[in-house]
Amino acid sequence: MSFENWAAFAAASAILLVIPGPTILLVVSYALGQGWRTALPMAVGVALGDFTAMTLSMLGIGALLAASATVFTVLKVIGACYLIYLGVKLFRAGGALKAEPRTDVVSSAKMMAHAWLVTALNPKSITFFVAFLPQFLDRHADFWTQMLIFETTFLALAFANAFGYALIAARARNVVRNPRAIRIFNRTGGTLLVGAGIATMAVRSGN
């Protein structure tokens, strides 16, 4: 695996992770209601959930890679289209971040388990990884090495992202509730995702 390919994966992952989905809304809800103490258990739970979903997805992708080069190529094209779809959806999302404060006091272990369940058992998580990861896999490189590097990178970013969201929600609540800030954030991220999808399609057509 080249450094450029890893860097592209890390950059795309960072963009995708900051998009507020069900997991981030849960993190923000706990942080708004219970403050900064939620940051660590929620971030650990999110990372464990992503590890579960990503591992299952990677194993499935590995089977497809071994079975058929054509199927794997088709999956990459579908993944590029999915990135464009996510980008358009995010761009049109507006400025709402619908996260209500959770005031029910629970232990750190329960918060972590809740974050893991929401992240790992969300069908969209596995669908996302199946569509996203093939964009960066090299059929001619060792699959297990790539799996280890990609998972380690993504999980570190997922942990940092969830931890950061929790701290911001706990300490700067006006930011996560500012429609203008959220709108700018969504449109910037949406544009980057669409660009990533188009770039991937261009690379595929050029091969």
Side-chain angles (χ1 to χ4, degrees):
M1 179 195 307
S2 66
F3 173 80
E4 290 77 11
N5 197 44
W6 173 84
F9 170 81
S13 296
I15 295 170
L16 289 163
L17 281 167
V18 297
I19 297 172
T23 298
I24 292 304
L25 292 179
L26 179 68
V27 171
V28 171
S29 293
Y30 270 110
L32 287 174
Q34 302 184 39
W36 63 268
R37 79 178 188 90
T38 66
L40 182 58
M42 293 302 289
V44 172
V46 169
L48 290 175
D50 277 326
F51 172 76
T52 303
M54 195 174 185
T55 299
L56 292 175
S57 302
M58 288 287 281
L59 292 176
I61 292 169
L64 286 175
L65 190 153
S68 171
T70 301
V71 172
F72 186 71
T73 300
V74 169
L75 189 61
K76 294 187 74 168
V77 173
I78 293 173
C81 294
Y82 186 54
L83 288 178
I84 295 173
Y85 164 76
L86 287 176
V88 172
K89 184 178 180 180
L90 180 62
F91 190 90
R92 300 175 62 185
L97 187 60
K98 300 177 181 178
E100 296 299 325
R102 295 184 65 98
T103 56
D104 50 320
V105 179
V106 297
S107 66
S108 296
K110 287 186 177 180
M111 280 191 284
M112 184 174 65
H114 195 179
W116 174 77
L117 284 172
V118 170
T119 306
L121 301 184
N122 181 3
K124 290 183 179 180
S125 295
I126 295 179
T127 302
F128 161 73
F129 284 126
V130 169
F132 175 67
L133 289 170
Q135 311 304 316
F136 305 95
L137 284 173
D138 182 356
R139 280 183 50 84
H140 305 292
D142 181 70
F143 173 76
W144 298 107
T145 300
Q146 293 181 88
M147 179 175 174
L148 175 63
I149 294 173
F150 284 149
E151 286 211 25
T152 301
T153 300
F154 192 91
L155 296 180
L157 291 171
F159 177 90
N161 182 64
F163 194 84
Y165 258 110
L167 290 182
I168 291 173
R171 297 298 180 89
R173 302 182 183 190
N174 58 317
V175 174
V176 298
R177 289 179 169 175
N178 186 322
R180 185 171 181 272
I182 298 299
R183 188 178 298 111
I184 293 173
F185 176 81
N186 285 344
R187 290 182 176 178
T188 302
T191 301
L192 291 173
L193 282 180
V194 171
I198 292 174
T200 301
M201 293 290 285
V203 171
R204 292 305 312 163
S205 63
N207 288 345

